[in-house]
C-alpha cells in the first residue's frame, strides 16, 4: 500500500549510502541545495562529536532526475562517506582482505551488537554495527528531504523543537546538561516535537488498522535508532478528563475551527485540519566514554564496552530525522489520496 | 513483507465482524475457548457501559480450520453483532431502506466524524462512526488470539496491567476516579503496559527501517482507537544518563544476562532476550454524557455532540487489544524468521 | 503497492466463501444483480457437470455497503455453499468430529494433492483439495464484479470469447469435441480471449518491473487454477518481423490512432489507448472419469485416481474468472493513478 | 509478502544502474565472477548490435558485502554505463544544462514513448525511453545472479535455450533468419525456454491467488521488456485430452516419480518436484532501421520513427534475463518457506 516506496543501504564506514525512491511523480523540481541543507541540519546540534566535522554530507542524484526535475523513473540518491578512504581495507568487499586482528568482539549495551550477532551469525561485531549505526539516518534524511520538496508544493510546512534534554527544559540548561555529561564521559537523550502545518483533512483512514496515519507515523518515528517513545498531541491524555481533552468544534462564517489541539491534528487515524503534532523520546546515546560493563563475544569473559568516537547528545539530529521520516509517510498519503503521475496532475487540486 | 497477513471488516451495528487471516501454518491447534476467553477479557474492566452486557462476543470459524486444526488455507473468523436484529433497517445494504430521518449529523469531537465525512463525502455521519467505532477491536482481538495460540507453541507468554487511570495509580484510586467521572458524565483514559516473555533473540532487524520491531509494534499499538502514545521500555529514557539507562551485559556460566531492562527487551530494533515491555497511553473516550460543543454538519450551526450509550473508561479493554495487536506483529516475525508451512516444521527448533 | 486489496477464503464444501475488499472509494453504487449475474455466468458453459445445478451462487454483503452504496469501509462478500448441509460433519471445525474413514488418500495427477500434502503435512488429502479446488474462483468472480462496477463508472467495458476447445475452433465443433470427451470420460481445455475497451492511456508503468501492467495481468490470469499460458496481443509475435508486428501510429485531426493492435493495447507495460487483449490457455480439467494412474499416500501403492463429480470442460467459466481477475488489476491501477476516496472525486476526470 | 525484495534504478545513458536488495541472509558467499559472467551472457547472442561492444558490464558492490560474504544488511549493486562520458550533458541532473535542440519527439511504435509521454507529461521523449529501455535488464540480471548464488547453495540449477526465432527452429536456420532480417533493416523475436532443476516440493501455494508460484513467475517474465507470452510446461495444453496431458504418478521403492512433465513442474501453484519449465515469447525489437510510420509529438505531423543503434534480435539475452527474474521469484519462495537469517540456518535442511 505504498506509492512512495524506497529502500536504503550503506554502512557507516563503507563507500557510500544509497537510496532508491520509486513512485515520485514526474516534473517535481529538485532543489539540491535544500536537500544538502537538510543533511547539514542533521549534522548539527549542541553535543555532536568529531565525526560531524569530517563528513559534510552532500547528496548526488544518479538516476530519475534530468535537468532539475524528476522524470517519473526511480530516483537514486548517493551520499559518499568521506572517511571511506581510511577504511577501504577494513570494509573491503574482497575476501582476500579479510583479517581478524581488527575484529570487534565486545557487545556494546544499548546497541544491536548482541542480538544482531546472534541473528546474523557474525563473529566480528563490526558486521553488525556498521549497518545498525545511526549513520544510515543521513540517507533517510535525504529521502525525507525529497518528500518535503513534494509536500512543499502543496504548501505543507514543517518545524521541530527540542522540549527537554535530561532534566533541562531551556536552552541554557540543556547546554549545561550536555557540557556536564560530556565532561563526565556520559551521554544524554531528550524529548522533541515535530509539527507539520497545512495538511489537508483526511490523510490516513480509520477503515483498516494499517491505514491509520498515527500508526504509520509511530512506526516511522519509532524506527529511528534510539527513539523509545512516540506520542501524537498532548502528552497528558492519560490524566485528563474527556471533557478537558477533546478539542471542541466551532464554526465561524461557515469555517470549522478549534480552540485547542490536544489531539495533535489526528482524529480517527486521519488528519483533521489542525497542526500535526508528534512528540518523541530519544534515549541517551549508548556509546559512552565512561565504560559500560559487558561481555566479550570471543572469550565469553566479562569486560568493558569499547568506545568509538561518538556524540554526547544527538537529540537535535534525531528531530531532523523524525521530520524526514514523517515527510515520507505524508508524501505517501498524498500520493494514495490524490494519485498523480506528474506534478501537473495536481494543478486543479483544492486542499 | 507480511507472512501473517489479515484483513478485518465490519460495522459496529452491522450483521457481523469478519477477519480473514492468510499465512498461518497448517496443524496449529485452535483452542476456541481461549479465543472466546480473550474476547470476554476485552469486554470487561471497571468502567464499561451497557453494551458489554448485550454482546458476549464469540468467534466462529468459517474456513481454514478442520477437526480443530488449521489446514494452511486462509482462516475466516466471524463475530456476529447480537444487537443487529434491532438495527437491520438502519444498517441495511438495500437502497430501498434508505431514510434520512435517522441520519446523524453532529460531529463528535475526538472521533473520526469530521475528517471522515469530508474524506468519504458522507452526509450521514453514521457511515463514518459505524466503522471508526472501537467495536472493530473485537475482531482484532480474535485475530490476535489466534496469533497468541501460535506463539504459545514456542512458550511465549503475555501479560498486561493498568499503570494509571487519570491521576490514580492504585486499583482503589482508579475505581474511585472512574466512579467520579461516571457520575460527572465524563470519561477517563490511562496508561497500561503489555509484557511478552520468552521471545527468542533476534526478532525484527536493524537492517532496514521497516524491519525494526519497535517500529512495527508502535504502529500496531498506535493504530488502536484512542491510543495516543507508545513507548518501549522505561518511560524515563529522556532524563537518564547513558550510564544509568543502558542495560549492562553480564555472563554467568556461559549464559548472558542483564540486571536491568530499561530497553524494554529491544536493542537495534530486535528482541534481545529480555522481556518485551510496551507501554501506551489511551486518551479519554470521546463519547461523553456531558456534552462537548460542536457543529451540525447539515445546518452548519453550533450545537452539542450527541451521546450514544458508551463507557466511562476502557483502558483495560485497550490493554487486551494491545496484547492482541502485538501478538500479530510477533507471529509475523516468527514466520519471517523461521519460515514453516506446518507446525511440525518447528519440531527441531531451538529458541 | 495495492490500493484495491483483498483476501479470499473458503473451502469447496465448507460453510461459505468469503472475501474482504479494502480500498474501494465511498459512494460506489453496488448493483447486486450484476454481481449475481456474473456469478451465474461463471457457472454456465457447455461441458459443466452436476454441481453447477446444485449451487446457484449469490453474493451477500455483510459490511462496507449501506443503502446500496459503499461507505469506504472494507466490503465483505459471502457466498454460501448450498451443499454444505450434507458436508457439515466431514468439514467440521470441531475436533470431536474427526474421522479417518472418509479420508482421501489417492493423489490426483494435475492437482495440488501431492505437493500440497507434503507442504502442509496433511494425511487426508481433503485438507488440500477443499481449498485448491476451483470453487474458490466463485468468490474471486464476485470480487471482480465489484471491480467491474467501479470500472464501468469510467466507461470501461469487457468481453470475452472462446477461441479453441481441443482442436475445435467453431462453436459446433467445440460442442462436438466436448460431447466426445464426455462420452470417453475424458476432459478438455482450450484457449480464450478477454478484451477490455475504453481504458485510459497510461495505466501501469515501465519505470519498475513490478509496475508493468502486462506483468500484473499475467500474474492475475496465470494464478487461475488450470491456466498454463497467458499472452498479451497477437499470438504470433515470435514469428513476425518487427516491421509487420509493431502497430504504426497515425494521426487524423489531431487524434492519434492505429490501424492494427498486435501489441494488445500494451506498450512499455502501459495501456496505450487501444483495446487490451489478453489470451490464455486452460489445461484440461484434471479430474476425469477415465482414471489416471497414481499412488495412494497411505499405502504407498500404485492405484488409480479417484473421481469426484466434475466437469468435462470449463473454459467458458475460466474466461469469466479471467475477466474478473483482470478487473481487479485494472481497478487497482485506476486507484493508483487517480487516487480518490469517494466516487465524487472523479467528477472532473477527463480520461 | 516479499522477503527477497529489491528496487532497481538507472537510465540507459545515465551514470549508472543501481539495485538495492533487502532480505538476503548473512554469510552468503558472493562470487563476483559469476555475476559478471551472467552480465556477459546477457550481452551476447547472435543478432546483437554495436552497443554490446561498448559496454562490458561489471557489477560493483557498494554495501552489504564484506570480505566476500553478505552481512545481512541491504546489498547495493552498481553497474556503470561506460558510454556515460559522452552523454553527461544530455543526461545532466543540472537544470542549467537543459537544451531543447536534442530533444526527441517522434513516438516509436512498440515502445513506451507514446503512453509514457502522456502519463508523465513529458515533451522530450528521451525522458521516457531512457528508463523504458531494455538497458535496465542489466541490473536485473545482476540481482538475479545474486539470487542464483543463493539458490545454488541448495543445489538448484538453471538452463535456458532458444526454441524458435521467427520461423526458424534450428541454430543454422535461426542465424540465417537473423542475417536476413539484419540485411532488410528489420528485427525478429522468438520463443525460449527456461528450466530450473532440483527445486524442493512445495514452493508457492494454492491457498491464495497471489501465492501461486506460476502467477508470480508469469509476472516476473512478462514484465521483461518485449515479452508478450508466458507458459508453464507443455504449450499444447489447450488441444490435449485430460488423459493425455496430466502427468501420472508412479512409485518405485517408496519414491514418487513421473514419466512425463506436461505440467512443467507446477501443480496447484506449487513446485511438484519435477523440473520447472517456463516458456516465453519475445516480440521483435521495436527499434528498426526500416522506418515505421509514426507521429511527431511536437508538430503533430505524420512522420517516420527515428532509429537509434540497436539489435536485430535479442532473444538470447531475453532468456538470460528470464532466468534471472525467475531466480528472484524462487529465492523469495525459499526465504518464505524456510526463513533463515544466515546461511548456517539451512545447515540441517533436508530438501
Amino acid at each position: 500500500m505504498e506509492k512512495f516506496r524506497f529502500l536504503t543501504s550503506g554502512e557507516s564506514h563503507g563507500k557510500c549510502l544509497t537510496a532508491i525512491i520509486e513512485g515520485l511523480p514526474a516534473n517535481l523540481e529538485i532543489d539540491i541545495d535544500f536537500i544538502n541543507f537538510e543533511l547539514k541540519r542533521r549534522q548539527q546540534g549542541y553535543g555532536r562529536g568529531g565525526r560531524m566535522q569530517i563528513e559534510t554530507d552532500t547528496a548526488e542524484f544518479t538516476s530519475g532526475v534530468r535537468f532539475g526535475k524528476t522524470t517519473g523513473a526511480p530516483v537514486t540518491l548517493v551520499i559518499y562517506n568521506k572517511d571511506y578512504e581510511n577504511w577501504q581495507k577494513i570494509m573491503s568487499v574482497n575476501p582476500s582482505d579479510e583479517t581478524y586482528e581488527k575484529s570487534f568482539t565486545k557487545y556494546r549495551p544499548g546497541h544491536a551488537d548482541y542480538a544482531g550477532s546472534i541473528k546474523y551469525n557474525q563473529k566480528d561485531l563490526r558486521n553488525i554495527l556498521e549497518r545498525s549505526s545511526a549513520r544510515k539516518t543521513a540517507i533517510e534524511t535525504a529521502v525525507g528531504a525529497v518528500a518535503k520538496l513534494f509536500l512543499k508544493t502543496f504548501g505543507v510546512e514543517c518545524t521541530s523543537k527540542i522540549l527537554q534534554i535530561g532534566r533541562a527544559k531551556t536552552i541554557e540548561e540543556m547546554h549545561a546538561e550536555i557540557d556536564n555529561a560530556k565532561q563526565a564521559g556520559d551521554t544524554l537523550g531528550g524529548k522533541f516535537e515535530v509539527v507539520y502545518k497545512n495538511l489537508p483533512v483526511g490523510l490516513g483512514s480509520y477503515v483498516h488498522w494499517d491505514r491509520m496515519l498515527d500508526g504509520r507515523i509511530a512506526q516511522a518515528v519509532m524506527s529511528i535508532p534510539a527513539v523509545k517513545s512516540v506520542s501524537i498531541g498532548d502528552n497528558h491524555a492519560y490524566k485528563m478528563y474527556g471533557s478537558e481533552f477533546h478539542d471542541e468544534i466551532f464554526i465561524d462564517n461557515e469555517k470549522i475551527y478549534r480552540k485547542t489541539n490536544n489531539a495533535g491534528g489526528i482524529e480517527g487515524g486521519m488528519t483533521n485540519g489542525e497542526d500535526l503534532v508528534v512528540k518523541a523520546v530519544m534515549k541517551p546515546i549508548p556509546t559512552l566514554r565512561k565504560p559500560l560493563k559487558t561481555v566479550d563475544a570471543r572469550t565469553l569473559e566479562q569486560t568493558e564496552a569499547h568506545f568509538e568516537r561518538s556524540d554526547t547528545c544527538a537529540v537535535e539530529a534525531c528531530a531532523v530525522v523524525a521530520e524526514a521520516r514523517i515527510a515520507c509517510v505524508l508524501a505517501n498519503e498524498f500520493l494514495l489520496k490524490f494519485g498523480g503521475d506528474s506534478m501537473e496532475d495536481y494543478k486543479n487540486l483544492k486542499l
Side-chain angles (χ1 to χ4, degrees), chain A residues 219-237:
Chain A
Q219 177 183 22
V221 176
M222 189 70 99
S223 67
I224 301 170
V227 169
K228 298 299 281 185
S229 181
V230 184
S231 307
I232 307 286
D234 195 276
N235 269 126
H236 303 100

Side-chain angles (χ1 to χ4, degrees), chain A residues 34-258:
Chain A
F34 174 74
I35 294 165
N36 289 335
F37 173 73
E38 292 288 288
L39 288 174
K40 195 167 186 181
R41 284 180 67 213
R42 194 197 70 95
Q43 294 187 283
Q44 291 174 333
Y46 204 84
R48 304 308 298 280
R51 184 165 184 181
M52 294 306 111
Q53 272 73 58
I54 299 173
E55 311 262 354
T56 311
D57 291 329
T58 54
E60 181 187 333
F61 286 84
T62 64
S63 83
V65 177
R66 188 166 171 240
F67 302 153
K69 287 181 182 172
T70 56
T71 62
V75 167
T76 308
L77 282 157
V78 180
I79 299 174
Y80 288 97
N81 286 327
K82 298 215 172 53
D83 208 15
Y84 177 58
E85 55 184 288
N86 304 316
W87 288 78
Q88 285 198 57
K89 277 280 173 190
I90 296 174
M91 295 302 295
S92 171
V93 166
N94 203 324
S96 63
D97 289 324
E98 187 160 15
T99 160
Y100 295 101
E101 68 199 45
K102 297 222 178 172
S103 69
F104 189 100
T105 59
K106 298 175 185 177
Y107 302 126
R108 294 165 309 157
H111 275 293
D113 301 7
Y114 171 66
S117 65
I118 289 173
K119 182 180 181 79
Y120 292 112
N121 198 25
Q122 298 299 315
K123 282 176 186 157
D124 184 352
L125 301 181
R126 179 156 300 286
N127 287 340
I128 308 305
L129 73 91
E130 282 288 333
R131 179 65 189 161
S132 62
S133 160
R135 174 74 189 139
K136 64 172 167 280
T137 60
I139 195 76
E140 291 175 5
T141 301
V143 172
V146 173
K148 279 184 174 184
L149 287 174
F150 175 66
L151 293 170
K152 275 179 169 194
T153 65
F154 300 100
V156 176
E157 286 170 23
C158 173
T159 56
S160 62
K161 67 177 177 206
I162 310 308
L163 303 176
Q164 189 164 344
I165 298 290
R167 288 163 194 280
K169 296 183 180 182
T170 71
I171 290 190
E172 305 73 40
E173 289 173 327
M174 290 177 190
H175 287 193
E177 270 279 65
I178 292 170
D179 290 343
N180 288 342
K182 190 171 185 177
Q183 216 160 356
D186 217 323
T187 57
L188 279 168
K191 272 190 199 176
F192 61 88
E193 179 183 276
V194 175
V195 176
Y196 269 88
K197 287 174 186 298
N198 302 331
L199 294 168
V201 174
L203 298 181
S205 179
Y206 58 87
V207 298
H208 204 262
W209 72 267
D210 54 3
R211 292 185 58 190
M212 300 280 279
L213 183 60
D214 38 7
R216 288 172 165 249
I217 289 171
Q219 177 183 22
V221 176
M222 189 70 99
S223 67
I224 301 170
V227 169
K228 298 299 281 185
S229 181
V230 184
S231 307
I232 307 286
D234 195 276
N235 269 126
H236 303 100
Y238 62 94
K239 57 182 180 186
M240 291 164 82
Y241 285 102
S243 56
E244 297 170 291
F245 181 83
H246 295 293
D247 306 308
E248 295 186 308
I249 304 178
F250 299 93
I251 192 158
D252 182 36
N253 212 358
E254 303 213 339
K255 207 175 145 4
I256 296 282
Y257 71 98
R258 317 272 182 132

Side-chain angles (χ1 to χ4, degrees), chain A residues 1-42:
Chain A
M1 227 171 46
E2 308 302 320
K3 272 200 77 177
F4 182 91
R5 55 179 178 160
F6 62 97
L7 289 176
T8 71
S9 64
E11 280 79 39
S12 182
H13 299 94
K15 184 177 184 181
C16 58
L17 304 167
T18 307
I20 300 177
I21 309 173
E22 200 287 304
L24 279 173
N27 296 335
L28 174 65
E29 285 186 38
I30 293 298
D31 179 347
I32 184 81
D33 293 337
F34 174 74
I35 294 165
N36 289 335
F37 173 73
E38 292 288 288
L39 288 174
K40 195 167 186 181
R41 284 180 67 213
R42 194 197 70 95

